[in-house]
Amino acid sequence: MSTNSTIKIAIVDDHPMVLEGLKSILSKEAYDVYAFTKGTALLDFIQSNSVHLILLDIVLNDSNGIDLCKKLRDRLANTIIVGISNQAEKSIILEFIQAGGNGYILKNSDNSEIITCIQQALLGNLALSQEAQRIILQAPVNNLALPKITKREKQILQAVAKGHTSAQIADQLFISLITVETHRRNLMQKFKVKNMIELIRIATENRLFD
């Protein structure tokens, strides 16, 4: 995807003013934007059309955003799904990510933060607005027996949770990109997870960032 104009983004929100506002923000960045007020309309659309990223409200008139995320993930394995909502409960944010979401943006985010989160999601990173990051880092302690992590692994885990790329982490910690990638692989193996999103969920639930 060389230019924004080649990137197709679908927005689902049942508030017309919010929908138009998001559409305006993304259109100014030259993304190809499709807007829907109902989850069923999006499901009909994706039967014959492909999109790279879906911005999904959590509370919709005709569906629950978390349930819709699960349906979309079953049908669209490679499509990026990011929640955008006023729902600021940590349980909802984590449940959305567990349902297959690639990120979560609170609607009180400003335009630049929304764009930054979308860019991070398109790069394959967990995309969380700053407020969403703060909320999930307060997740309750789980009594699971967890593997020990080193100080360096913790630093990398914290940076990933903030949406930083491997290249950015390498620059911040003054280590090589290969070293960062090795630590990421080791962390996934330690926690027996398939991706970094699942690892971040476990880390936040067990307060590994404290």
Side-chain angles (χ1 to χ4, degrees):
M1 293 181 286
S2 58
T3 64
N4 286 357
S5 61
T6 66
I7 298 172
K8 297 178 181 179
I9 298 179
I11 311 169
V12 189
D13 196 301
D14 56 13
H15 295 86
M17 288 183 64
V18 173
L19 196 61
E20 287 304 312
L22 289 170
K23 186 176 179 180
S24 175
I25 292 168
L26 298 177
S27 295
K28 287 178 182 177
E29 297 295 319
Y31 292 114
D32 191 3
V33 183
Y34 303 86
F36 305 92
T37 57
K38 294 182 181 295
T40 50
L42 173 66
L43 291 173
D44 289 341
F45 179 78
I46 63 170
Q47 287 183 2
S48 55
N49 298 276
S50 63
V51 294
H52 299 103
L53 184 145
I54 296 170
L55 272 182
L56 182 60
D57 193 6
I58 304 303
V59 180
L60 297 165
N61 285 333
D62 70 333
S63 56
N64 175 291
I66 293 173
D67 291 338
L68 183 56
C69 180
K70 292 176 182 177
K71 290 180 182 178
L72 291 167
R73 180 54 66 219
D74 288 341
R75 301 182 190 188
L76 305 170
N78 298 318
T79 299
I80 299 163
I81 306 171
V82 177
I84 184 159
S85 178
N86 288 319
Q87 302 295 313
E89 292 83 358
K90 56 193 173 188
S91 59
I92 292 176
I93 298 173
L94 291 172
E95 190 176 358
F96 184 82
I97 293 172
Q98 284 181 294
N102 303 97
Y104 199 97
I105 303 170
L106 272 296
K107 286 184 178 177
N108 61 3
S109 305
D110 60 28
N111 294 2
S112 62
E113 187 172 19
I114 292 171
I115 293 300
T116 297
C117 285
I118 288 172
Q119 291 170 341
Q120 287 298 315
L122 289 168
L123 288 170
N125 299 314
L126 180 64
L128 297 170
S129 63
Q130 291 181 5
E131 182 67 8
Q133 289 177 31
R134 185 189 67 77
I135 291 167
I136 66 169
L137 289 176
Q138 294 178 345
V141 176
N142 189 315
N143 291 323
L144 292 175
L146 295 173
K148 299 289 186 182
I149 61 173
T150 66
K151 181 180 178 181
R152 178 67 81 197
E153 287 173 338
K154 183 176 180 179
Q155 290 173 328
I156 290 173
L157 198 54
Q158 288 173 322
V160 172
K162 293 177 181 178
H164 297 169
T165 65
S166 292
Q168 289 172 327
I169 296 169
D171 289 340
Q172 292 163 6
L173 300 180
F174 304 103
I175 56 179
S176 72
L177 181 60
I178 293 174
T179 300
V180 175
E181 292 295 340
T182 299
H183 280 303
R184 289 176 67 137
R185 285 195 299 272
N186 289 343
L187 280 164
M188 288 170 61
Q189 290 173 356
K190 273 187 179 183
F191 287 84
K192 298 178 181 179
V193 295
K194 296 179 181 178
N195 53 58
M196 291 303 293
I197 291 175
E198 189 177 353
L199 177 56
I200 295 302
R201 177 184 62 77
I202 292 171
T204 54
E205 288 178 346
N206 292 278
R207 301 182 71 88
L208 296 183
F209 299 115
D210 292 354

